[in-house]
Amino acid sequence: MKIYATYNIKGGVGKTSAAVNLAHLASASGYRALLWDLDPQGAATYLFRVKPKVKGGSRALVCGTRPLDDAIKATDFDRLDLLPADFSYRNLDLQLDDMKRPTRRIRQLLRPLDGEYDVVFLDCPPSISLLSENVLHAVDTLLVPMIPATLSVRTLDQLVSFVGDLDGRQPQVCSFFSMVDRRKRLHCDLVDHLGAERPGILSTVIPSLSIVEQMAVHRAPVTVFAPHSHAAECYEALWGELNETETD
Ligand SMILES: Nc1ncnc2c1ncn2[C@@H]1O[C@H](COP(=O)(O)OP(=O)(O)OP(=O)(O)O)[C@@H](O)[C@H]1O
Ligand SMILES: [Mg+2]
């Protein structure tokens, strides 16, 4: 079971859009896929038309009184399941902090799902918190969407250094440029130069395309309602590149 997280300290950078499309592409290519919505905003839950209601709230899942398996919902797509978020997820940090090994809890909770799924995507809220630390310990690959801007690169550097300081196994950090607008000089400069110079930045770029925003209207991945669109092609390329950059 390979575990990815779409993560960035910054908000509104394309984490959920990537998680939803990649999870769909993974399932369409034959993998048994699970998307765990870890964000109290519940955007991924909404996009997959699942009710944002978690019986017992996130506390029951974190404490283990309710196994994850029990809270998993089917989506409209074969081989693709969703672990929904509701507003109780706003307290996830406090709940994790009450556990014995507070930074390893998410990893421990996912362990029994090994064998049931080939690939898991964690859609993270924008923050750097105890939950983020849990995610870093749980995943094989951290997928970091980045809107081209000097400060975004600085944030990526902070994240890479934080990951480098982690005890034990460290996840691979794969960043990619998101919401790229080729009419902006700075976007072109950063994508063309930084992408080539820096290791850890994927060559696939997700452009700024209004069809991606329409996911919220269709409540479906763009790879489903517009499978031949340029946006869908870009997410396919991203999924292809991720599969090529496997380290293990
Ligand atoms: N490539 C894109 N082109 C245009 N709009 C996009 C693109 N990717 C995402 N968006 C839009 O930008 C907004 C934020 O995207 P998304 O929810 O994927 O980001 P996020 O990083 O998950 O946000 P949050 O930090 O709030 O969880 C949404 O309205 C989404 O439809
Ligand atoms: Mg999101």
Side-chain angles (χ1 to χ4, degrees):
M1 185 172 81
K2 170 125 188 176
I3 308 177
Y4 297 91
T6 50
Y7 174 76
N8 195 321
I9 304 171
K10 286 183 186 293
V13 296
K15 298 182 291 295
T16 300
S17 304
V20 164
N21 286 300
L22 293 175
H24 171 254
L25 288 170
S27 67
S29 68
Y31 290 122
R32 295 163 303 167
L34 173 71
L35 195 165
W36 187 356
D37 188 352
L38 287 167
D39 187 340
Q41 296 177 98
T45 303
Y46 179 84
L47 291 172
F48 277 119
R49 300 169 182 256
V50 172
K51 246 194 243 150
K53 179 81 196 106
V54 182
K55 223 189 288 166
S58 52
R59 179 176 291 282
L61 299 180
V62 170
C63 293
T65 49
R66 190 173 179 221
L68 291 196
D69 226 1
D70 196 46
I72 289 173
K73 306 283 181 200
T75 67
D76 295 340
F77 309 103
D78 289 343
R79 295 178 297 279
L80 177 54
D81 291 341
L82 179 93
L83 191 47
D86 66 8
F87 207 48
S88 67
Y89 272 66
R90 73 191 185 283
N91 296 318
L92 214 49
D93 260 25
L94 297 171
Q95 294 152 1
L96 289 165
D97 202 28
D98 283 344
M99 302 309 297
K100 232 193 246 150
R101 296 183 77 202
T103 61
R104 305 290 205 277
R105 187 60 184 153
I106 297 279
R107 179 175 168 173
Q108 205 179 23
L109 289 173
L110 284 167
R111 209 166 285 147
L113 299 180
D114 198 6
E116 273 186 64
Y117 294 99
D118 302 307
V119 52
V120 175
F121 291 89
L122 309 178
D123 186 30
C124 300
S127 67
I128 179 113
S129 59
L130 185 54
L131 170 63
S132 330
E133 226 176 308
N134 264 273
V135 166
L136 298 178
H137 284 295
V139 302
D140 300 292
T141 301
L142 206 61
L143 203 51
V144 186
M146 180 168 61
I147 298 176
T150 312
L151 285 173
S152 307
V153 181
R154 190 169 168 270
T155 304
L156 177 66
D157 288 336
Q158 289 171 331
L159 176 64
V160 168
S161 120
F162 186 61
V163 169
D165 289 340
L166 288 179
D167 291 336
R169 199 186 58 137
Q170 295 171 353
Q172 180 187 24
V173 179
C174 289
S175 184
F176 65 92
F177 287 110
S178 172
M179 300 194 206
V180 173
D181 182 350
R182 283 264 170 204
R183 291 168 304 183
K184 294 183 179 163
R185 170 106 189 262
L186 183 69
H187 279 211
C188 291
D189 283 352
L190 284 171
V191 170
D192 296 342
H193 295 119
L194 218 69
E197 279 164 19
R198 280 186 56 135
I201 299 186
L202 299 173
S203 63
T204 305
V205 165
I206 306 293
S208 175
L209 294 164
S210 59
I211 200 160
V212 177
E213 292 175 76
Q214 286 174 32
M215 284 170 60
V217 178
H218 294 271
R219 295 186 70 181
V222 71
T223 48
V224 168
F225 70 83
H228 305 298
S229 61
H230 183 45
E233 282 171 5
C234 291
Y235 284 114
E236 274 164 32
L238 184 63
W239 179 233
E241 191 177 359
L242 271 176
N243 280 300
E244 280 165 23
T245 44
E246 305 266 273
T247 47
D248 45 346

